[in-house]
């Protein structure tokens, strides 16, 4: 472990930009590891650090360093903002589906379902009628052949 630490009010920035929330990967591509400070100003305070910087014992570099408590507070703030945004979207969608809009949507769904049922029934009746007509044609042809055959016989 290393004694790398910054002041308790230290910023969680790097020369590559501010790290917001819990860092996942350093700008250099190295993974982030959790460490515990052994310094006098911040004893036993947890922090996130670039694994490359930890393995090379780099100090005051531009690799990711962020106190865990600051990272978690950033995450809570970000999630709170996101929750408020989603709540607003839900409220707006409820307004859109209030009253007549909602009734029209339900009516359209019911109408479509009824139309599908009617279409299926009409198809089945047409299909049955076609079968009946074929049977009648066959009977008619057989009767005609019998009449013609009897006419030739008599």
């Amino acid at each position: 472990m290393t004694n790398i630490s910054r002041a308790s009010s230290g910023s969680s920035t790097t020369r590559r930009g501010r790290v917001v929330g819990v860092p996942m990967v350093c700008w250099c591509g190295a993974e982030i590891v959790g460490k515990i400070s052994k310094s006098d100003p911040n004893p036993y305070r947890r922090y996130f650090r670039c694994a490359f910087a930890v393995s090379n014992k780099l100090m005051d570099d531009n690799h990711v360093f962020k106190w865990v408590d600051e990272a978690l507070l950033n995450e809570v703030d970000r999630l709170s903002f996101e929750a408020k945004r989603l709540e607003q979207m839900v409220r707006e969608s409820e307004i859109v589906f209030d009253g007549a809009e909602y009734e029209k949507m339900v009516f359209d769904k019911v109408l479509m379902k009824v139309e599908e049922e009617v279409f299926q029934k009409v198809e089945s009746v047409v299909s049955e009628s076609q079968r009946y007509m074929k049977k009648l044609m066959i009977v008619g042809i057989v009767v005609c052949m019998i009449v013609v055959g009897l006419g030739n016989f008599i």
Side-chain angles (χ1 to χ4, degrees):
M1 287 202 190
T2 180
N3 286 333
I4 299 173
S5 179
R6 302 197 182 170
S8 60
S9 63
S11 171
S12 298
T13 59
T14 68
R15 290 183 199 132
R16 301 280 176 169
R18 179 162 167 66
V19 178
V20 178
V22 176
M24 300 306 220
V25 69
C26 183
W27 64 265
C28 69
E31 65 181 26
I32 302 298
V33 294
K35 303 298 282 175
I36 299 174
S37 173
K38 294 181 181 177
S39 68
D40 290 333
N42 296 293
Y44 305 108
R45 189 173 177 194
R46 296 179 156 274
Y47 61 95
F48 294 113
R49 187 73 168 122
C50 169
F52 174 78
V54 169
S55 65
N56 292 315
K57 297 184 180 183
L58 300 177
M59 296 176 68
D60 295 327
D61 54 73
N62 60 349
H63 292 271
V64 171
F65 172 91
K66 179 119 186 186
W67 294 113
V68 170
D69 55 341
E70 289 178 6
L72 295 178
L73 285 174
N74 288 157
E75 284 295 315
V76 167
D77 289 344
R78 187 184 64 78
L79 291 173
S80 175
F81 176 78
E82 184 68 16
K84 287 177 184 173
R85 189 182 67 79
L86 291 173
E87 286 174 6
Q88 182 64 30
M89 286 175 58
V90 167
R91 272 193 231 104
E92 288 172 2
S93 67
E94 287 174 352
I95 291 169
V96 169
F97 289 115
D98 258 355
E101 289 281 333
Y102 181 74
E103 289 176 8
K104 183 181 181 323
M105 184 180 72
V106 170
F107 177 77
D108 289 344
K109 284 185 178 183
V110 169
L111 182 64
M112 185 174 286
K113 198 172 232 180
V114 169
E115 286 176 350
E116 285 177 13
E117 289 176 11
V118 168
F119 181 73
Q120 288 174 352
K121 287 182 181 180
V122 167
E123 266 188 346
S124 68
V125 168
V126 167
S127 160
E128 192 174 320
S129 298
Q130 287 175 339
R131 284 192 299 268
Y132 181 71
M133 290 299 290
K134 284 181 183 178
K135 288 180 185 177
L136 281 178
M137 283 179 49
I138 291 172
V139 169
I141 291 173
V142 169
V143 168
C144 286
M145 289 175 68
I146 291 174
V147 169
V148 169
L150 284 177
N152 286 339
F153 189 64
I154 298 183

